[in-house]
mmCIF file of all heavy atoms in Angstrom:
data_model
loop_
_atom_site.group_PDB
_atom_site.id
_atom_site.type_symbol
_atom_site.label_atom_id
_atom_site.label_comp_id
_atom_site.label_asym_id
_atom_site.label_seq_id
_atom_site.Cartn_x
_atom_site.Cartn_y
_atom_site.Cartn_z
ATOM 1 N N MET A 75 -22.504 22.531 -13.526
ATOM 2 C CA MET A 75 -21.033 22.333 -13.410
ATOM 3 C C MET A 75 -20.488 21.703 -14.694
ATOM 4 O O MET A 75 -21.114 20.845 -15.316
ATOM 5 C CB MET A 75 -20.769 21.454 -12.197
ATOM 6 C CG MET A 75 -19.310 21.180 -12.056
ATOM 7 S SD MET A 75 -19.122 20.083 -10.680
ATOM 8 C CE MET A 75 -18.322 21.140 -9.562
ATOM 9 N N SER A 79 -14.788 15.032 -16.857
ATOM 10 C CA SER A 79 -14.406 13.625 -16.700
ATOM 11 C C SER A 79 -13.874 13.024 -18.030
ATOM 12 O O SER A 79 -13.276 11.994 -18.024
ATOM 13 C CB SER A 79 -15.582 12.829 -16.189
ATOM 14 O OG SER A 79 -16.644 12.917 -17.082
ATOM 15 N N GLN A 80 -14.117 13.691 -19.140
ATOM 16 C CA GLN A 80 -13.520 13.233 -20.398
ATOM 17 C C GLN A 80 -12.225 13.950 -20.625
ATOM 18 O O GLN A 80 -12.136 15.177 -20.367
ATOM 19 C CB GLN A 80 -14.488 13.490 -21.518
ATOM 20 C CG GLN A 80 -15.752 12.712 -21.453
ATOM 21 C CD GLN A 80 -15.536 11.232 -21.304
ATOM 22 O OE1 GLN A 80 -14.769 10.613 -22.083
ATOM 23 N NE2 GLN A 80 -16.139 10.616 -20.286
ATOM 24 N N LEU A 86 -5.126 24.352 -16.051
ATOM 25 C CA LEU A 86 -5.283 24.441 -14.611
ATOM 26 C C LEU A 86 -4.363 25.543 -14.103
ATOM 27 O O LEU A 86 -3.184 25.597 -14.396
ATOM 28 C CB LEU A 86 -4.893 23.169 -13.895
ATOM 29 C CG LEU A 86 -5.708 21.909 -14.179
ATOM 30 C CD1 LEU A 86 -5.102 20.718 -13.453
ATOM 31 C CD2 LEU A 86 -7.175 22.108 -13.739
ATOM 32 N N ILE A 109 0.559 16.040 -20.534
ATOM 33 C CA ILE A 109 0.808 17.440 -20.176
ATOM 34 C C ILE A 109 1.387 18.121 -21.405
ATOM 35 O O ILE A 109 2.369 17.618 -22.003
ATOM 36 C CB ILE A 109 1.795 17.511 -19.001
ATOM 37 C CG1 ILE A 109 1.148 16.917 -17.735
ATOM 38 C CG2 ILE A 109 2.258 18.948 -18.754
ATOM 39 C CD1 ILE A 109 2.087 16.678 -16.604
ATOM 40 N N ASP A 167 -26.568 -5.911 17.828
ATOM 41 C CA ASP A 167 -26.383 -5.032 16.653
ATOM 42 C C ASP A 167 -25.505 -5.697 15.580
ATOM 43 O O ASP A 167 -25.752 -5.606 14.402
ATOM 44 C CB ASP A 167 -25.695 -3.741 17.036
ATOM 45 C CG ASP A 167 -26.588 -2.828 17.849
ATOM 46 O OD1 ASP A 167 -27.782 -3.160 17.967
ATOM 47 O OD2 ASP A 167 -26.091 -1.841 18.398
ATOM 48 N N ASP A 243 -12.117 -25.470 16.958
ATOM 49 C CA ASP A 243 -13.001 -26.171 17.918
ATOM 50 C C ASP A 243 -14.315 -26.435 17.165
ATOM 51 O O ASP A 243 -15.162 -25.514 17.015
ATOM 52 C CB ASP A 243 -13.184 -25.264 19.131
ATOM 53 C CG ASP A 243 -14.113 -25.942 20.155
ATOM 54 O OD1 ASP A 243 -14.896 -26.817 19.770
ATOM 55 O OD2 ASP A 243 -14.025 -25.541 21.328
ATOM 56 N N ARG A 265 -14.790 -14.518 -8.071
ATOM 57 C CA ARG A 265 -14.262 -13.579 -9.044
ATOM 58 C C ARG A 265 -14.962 -12.200 -8.913
ATOM 59 O O ARG A 265 -14.313 -11.168 -9.013
ATOM 60 C CB ARG A 265 -14.388 -14.132 -10.437
ATOM 61 C CG ARG A 265 -13.477 -15.315 -10.656
ATOM 62 C CD ARG A 265 -13.352 -15.694 -12.146
ATOM 63 N NE ARG A 265 -12.005 -16.223 -12.361
ATOM 64 C CZ ARG A 265 -11.494 -16.345 -13.521
ATOM 65 N NH1 ARG A 265 -12.130 -15.978 -14.631
ATOM 66 N NH2 ARG A 265 -10.230 -16.817 -13.658
ATOM 67 N N VAL A 284 -4.127 9.276 -5.135
ATOM 68 C CA VAL A 284 -3.187 8.308 -5.686
ATOM 69 C C VAL A 284 -3.554 8.014 -7.143
ATOM 70 O O VAL A 284 -4.707 7.657 -7.427
ATOM 71 C CB VAL A 284 -3.187 7.016 -4.834
ATOM 72 C CG1 VAL A 284 -2.315 5.931 -5.478
ATOM 73 C CG2 VAL A 284 -2.712 7.289 -3.421
ATOM 74 N N ARG A 301 -9.092 -7.748 -15.987
ATOM 75 C CA ARG A 301 -10.497 -7.731 -16.382
ATOM 76 C C ARG A 301 -11.069 -6.276 -16.375
ATOM 77 O O ARG A 301 -11.701 -5.872 -17.310
ATOM 78 C CB ARG A 301 -11.287 -8.681 -15.442
ATOM 79 C CG ARG A 301 -12.780 -8.710 -15.702
ATOM 80 C CD ARG A 301 -13.105 -8.980 -17.171
ATOM 81 N NE ARG A 301 -12.696 -10.290 -17.618
ATOM 82 C CZ ARG A 301 -13.374 -11.423 -17.468
ATOM 83 N NH1 ARG A 301 -14.541 -11.400 -16.881
ATOM 84 N NH2 ARG A 301 -12.922 -12.567 -17.907
ATOM 85 N N ALA A 319 7.443 -17.209 -5.709
ATOM 86 C CA ALA A 319 7.071 -18.529 -6.241
ATOM 87 C C ALA A 319 6.606 -18.464 -7.712
ATOM 88 O O ALA A 319 6.640 -19.486 -8.394
ATOM 89 C CB ALA A 319 5.992 -19.128 -5.360
ATOM 90 N N LEU A 358 16.002 -9.172 14.682
ATOM 91 C CA LEU A 358 16.870 -8.144 15.262
ATOM 92 C C LEU A 358 18.251 -8.658 15.596
ATOM 93 O O LEU A 358 18.484 -9.864 15.649
ATOM 94 C CB LEU A 358 16.211 -7.638 16.558
ATOM 95 C CG LEU A 358 14.746 -7.321 16.583
ATOM 96 C CD1 LEU A 358 14.350 -6.793 17.980
ATOM 97 C CD2 LEU A 358 14.379 -6.293 15.527
ATOM 98 N N HIS A 373 14.778 -17.353 5.737
ATOM 99 C CA HIS A 373 15.575 -18.138 4.842
ATOM 100 C C HIS A 373 16.994 -18.165 5.326
ATOM 101 O O HIS A 373 17.461 -17.223 5.956
ATOM 102 C CB HIS A 373 15.551 -17.554 3.415
ATOM 103 C CG HIS A 373 14.192 -17.247 2.897
ATOM 104 N ND1 HIS A 373 13.310 -18.228 2.447
ATOM 105 C CD2 HIS A 373 13.514 -16.087 2.765
ATOM 106 C CE1 HIS A 373 12.206 -17.655 2.048
ATOM 107 N NE2 HIS A 373 12.289 -16.383 2.276
ATOM 108 N N GLN A 375 21.038 -17.850 4.586
ATOM 109 C CA GLN A 375 21.746 -16.974 3.671
ATOM 110 C C GLN A 375 21.929 -17.617 2.288
ATOM 111 O O GLN A 375 21.747 -16.997 1.254
ATOM 112 C CB GLN A 375 23.125 -16.616 4.241
ATOM 113 C CG GLN A 375 23.871 -15.596 3.417
ATOM 114 C CD GLN A 375 23.297 -14.203 3.486
ATOM 115 O OE1 GLN A 375 23.092 -13.677 4.595
ATOM 116 N NE2 GLN A 375 22.976 -13.591 2.357
ATOM 117 N N LEU A 378 18.656 -17.599 0.301
ATOM 118 C CA LEU A 378 18.322 -16.271 -0.195
ATOM 119 C C LEU A 378 19.203 -15.863 -1.347
ATOM 120 O O LEU A 378 18.775 -15.324 -2.341
ATOM 121 C CB LEU A 378 18.400 -15.239 0.962
ATOM 122 C CG LEU A 378 17.813 -13.871 0.671
ATOM 123 C CD1 LEU A 378 16.275 -13.949 0.521
ATOM 124 C CD2 LEU A 378 18.153 -12.897 1.817
ATOM 125 N N ASN A 379 20.506 -16.183 -1.197
ATOM 126 C CA ASN A 379 21.450 -15.876 -2.305
ATOM 127 C C ASN A 379 20.957 -16.521 -3.593
ATOM 128 O O ASN A 379 20.965 -15.938 -4.683
ATOM 129 C CB ASN A 379 22.853 -16.406 -2.039
ATOM 130 C CG ASN A 379 23.508 -15.704 -0.852
ATOM 131 O OD1 ASN A 379 22.990 -14.705 -0.352
ATOM 132 N ND2 ASN A 379 24.586 -16.261 -0.379
ATOM 133 N N ARG A 384 18.631 -16.545 -9.041
ATOM 134 C CA ARG A 384 17.705 -17.081 -10.047
ATOM 135 C C ARG A 384 16.814 -16.013 -10.630
ATOM 136 O O ARG A 384 16.581 -15.928 -11.821
ATOM 137 C CB ARG A 384 16.853 -18.216 -9.432
ATOM 138 C CG ARG A 384 17.614 -19.463 -9.137
ATOM 139 C CD ARG A 384 16.874 -20.692 -9.532
ATOM 140 N NE ARG A 384 15.454 -20.692 -9.123
ATOM 141 C CZ ARG A 384 14.975 -21.262 -8.024
ATOM 142 N NH1 ARG A 384 15.808 -21.870 -7.211
ATOM 143 N NH2 ARG A 384 13.721 -21.176 -7.729
ATOM 144 N N GLU A 386 17.450 -12.812 -10.758
ATOM 145 C CA GLU A 386 18.281 -11.915 -11.568
ATOM 146 C C GLU A 386 18.393 -12.474 -13.004
ATOM 147 O O GLU A 386 18.215 -11.752 -13.984
ATOM 148 C CB GLU A 386 19.733 -11.914 -11.009
ATOM 149 C CG GLU A 386 19.970 -10.781 -10.010
ATOM 150 C CD GLU A 386 20.495 -9.554 -10.717
ATOM 151 O OE1 GLU A 386 21.327 -9.766 -11.634
ATOM 152 O OE2 GLU A 386 20.109 -8.476 -10.406
ATOM 153 N N ALA A 396 12.237 -6.622 4.541
ATOM 154 C CA ALA A 396 13.240 -6.790 5.641
ATOM 155 C C ALA A 396 13.060 -5.655 6.613
ATOM 156 O O ALA A 396 13.222 -4.479 6.252
ATOM 157 C CB ALA A 396 14.649 -6.816 5.080
ATOM 158 N N LYS A 407 23.619 -8.721 1.884
ATOM 159 C CA LYS A 407 24.613 -9.716 1.566
ATOM 160 C C LYS A 407 24.228 -10.522 0.321
ATOM 161 O O LYS A 407 25.061 -10.711 -0.577
ATOM 162 C CB LYS A 407 24.773 -10.692 2.728
ATOM 163 C CG LYS A 407 26.073 -10.505 3.515
ATOM 164 C CD LYS A 407 26.056 -11.377 4.751
ATOM 165 C CE LYS A 407 27.279 -12.222 4.858
ATOM 166 N NZ LYS A 407 27.282 -12.891 6.180
ATOM 167 N N ILE A 413 24.414 -9.030 -7.644
ATOM 168 C CA ILE A 413 24.110 -7.946 -8.618
ATOM 169 C C ILE A 413 25.333 -7.106 -8.991
ATOM 170 O O ILE A 413 26.290 -7.060 -8.244
ATOM 171 C CB ILE A 413 22.995 -7.042 -8.103
ATOM 172 C CG1 ILE A 413 23.508 -6.125 -6.965
ATOM 173 C CG2 ILE A 413 21.790 -7.842 -7.668
ATOM 174 C CD1 ILE A 413 22.404 -5.203 -6.446
ATOM 175 N N GLU A 435 24.758 2.568 5.067
ATOM 176 C CA GLU A 435 25.902 2.879 4.214
ATOM 177 C C GLU A 435 26.103 1.792 3.130
ATOM 178 O O GLU A 435 26.335 2.137 1.974
ATOM 179 C CB GLU A 435 27.156 2.981 5.021
ATOM 180 C CG GLU A 435 27.428 4.474 5.347
ATOM 181 C CD GLU A 435 28.312 4.676 6.580
ATOM 182 O OE1 GLU A 435 29.238 3.856 6.764
ATOM 183 O OE2 GLU A 435 28.047 5.631 7.324
ATOM 184 N N ASN A 449 3.883 6.050 7.457
ATOM 185 C CA ASN A 449 2.698 5.749 8.292
ATOM 186 C C ASN A 449 3.156 5.065 9.554
ATOM 187 O O ASN A 449 2.512 5.228 10.591
ATOM 188 C CB ASN A 449 1.725 4.824 7.568
ATOM 189 C CG ASN A 449 1.246 5.364 6.279
ATOM 190 O OD1 ASN A 449 1.919 6.146 5.630
ATOM 191 N ND2 ASN A 449 0.038 4.928 5.882
ATOM 192 N N PHE A 450 4.221 4.230 9.462
ATOM 193 C CA PHE A 450 4.634 3.479 10.633
ATOM 194 C C PHE A 450 5.112 4.426 11.731
ATOM 195 O O PHE A 450 4.990 4.127 12.926
ATOM 196 C CB PHE A 450 5.764 2.492 10.291
ATOM 197 C CG PHE A 450 5.326 1.429 9.280
ATOM 198 C CD1 PHE A 450 6.259 0.560 8.756
ATOM 199 C CD2 PHE A 450 4.006 1.293 8.898
ATOM 200 C CE1 PHE A 450 5.924 -0.419 7.809
ATOM 201 C CE2 PHE A 450 3.590 0.307 8.004
ATOM 202 C CZ PHE A 450 4.595 -0.520 7.435
ATOM 203 N N PRO A 457 6.290 8.300 21.643
ATOM 204 C CA PRO A 457 6.680 7.792 22.984
ATOM 205 C C PRO A 457 5.498 6.995 23.566
ATOM 206 O O PRO A 457 4.366 7.436 23.446
ATOM 207 C CB PRO A 457 6.982 9.045 23.771
ATOM 208 C CG PRO A 457 7.401 10.052 22.756
ATOM 209 C CD PRO A 457 6.563 9.741 21.509
ATOM 210 N N SER A 494 -3.126 6.398 2.516
ATOM 211 C CA SER A 494 -3.337 7.845 2.569
ATOM 212 C C SER A 494 -1.996 8.548 2.540
ATOM 213 O O SER A 494 -1.283 8.674 3.550
ATOM 214 C CB SER A 494 -4.061 8.246 3.836
ATOM 215 O OG SER A 494 -4.055 9.635 4.022
ATOM 216 N N ILE A 538 5.760 17.078 -13.111
ATOM 217 C CA ILE A 538 4.909 17.854 -14.078
ATOM 218 C C ILE A 538 5.785 18.458 -15.106
ATOM 219 O O ILE A 538 6.464 19.448 -14.888
ATOM 220 C CB ILE A 538 4.074 18.887 -13.295
ATOM 221 C CG1 ILE A 538 3.189 18.191 -12.207
ATOM 222 C CG2 ILE A 538 3.229 19.714 -14.274
ATOM 223 C CD1 ILE A 538 2.304 19.103 -11.399
ATOM 224 N N GLY A 569 -4.374 10.509 -16.348
ATOM 225 C CA GLY A 569 -4.398 10.496 -17.831
ATOM 226 C C GLY A 569 -5.297 11.597 -18.371
ATOM 227 O O GLY A 569 -6.029 11.376 -19.378
ATOM 228 N N TYR A 574 -11.592 11.918 -9.516
ATOM 229 C CA TYR A 574 -12.151 12.201 -8.176
ATOM 230 C C TYR A 574 -12.306 13.707 -8.016
ATOM 231 O O TYR A 574 -11.409 14.448 -8.358
ATOM 232 C CB TYR A 574 -11.288 11.658 -7.045
ATOM 233 C CG TYR A 574 -11.691 12.150 -5.707
ATOM 234 C CD1 TYR A 574 -12.867 11.670 -5.103
ATOM 235 C CD2 TYR A 574 -10.954 13.141 -5.014
ATOM 236 C CE1 TYR A 574 -13.290 12.153 -3.882
ATOM 237 C CE2 TYR A 574 -11.372 13.586 -3.790
ATOM 238 C CZ TYR A 574 -12.517 13.108 -3.214
ATOM 239 O OH TYR A 574 -12.906 13.619 -1.990
#
Side-chain angles (χ1 to χ4, degrees):
M75 179 183 246
S79 60
Q80 294 307 309
L86 296 176
I109 294 167
D167 288 352
D243 179 338
R265 291 194 148 197
V284 174
R301 178 53 63 85
L358 312 183
H373 310 284
Q375 185 71 54
L378 192 66
N379 294 350
R384 289 222 316 263
E386 266 269 319
K407 254 171 127 172
I413 73 179
E435 265 158 36
N449 302 26
F450 297 172
S494 169
I538 301 181
Y574 168 74

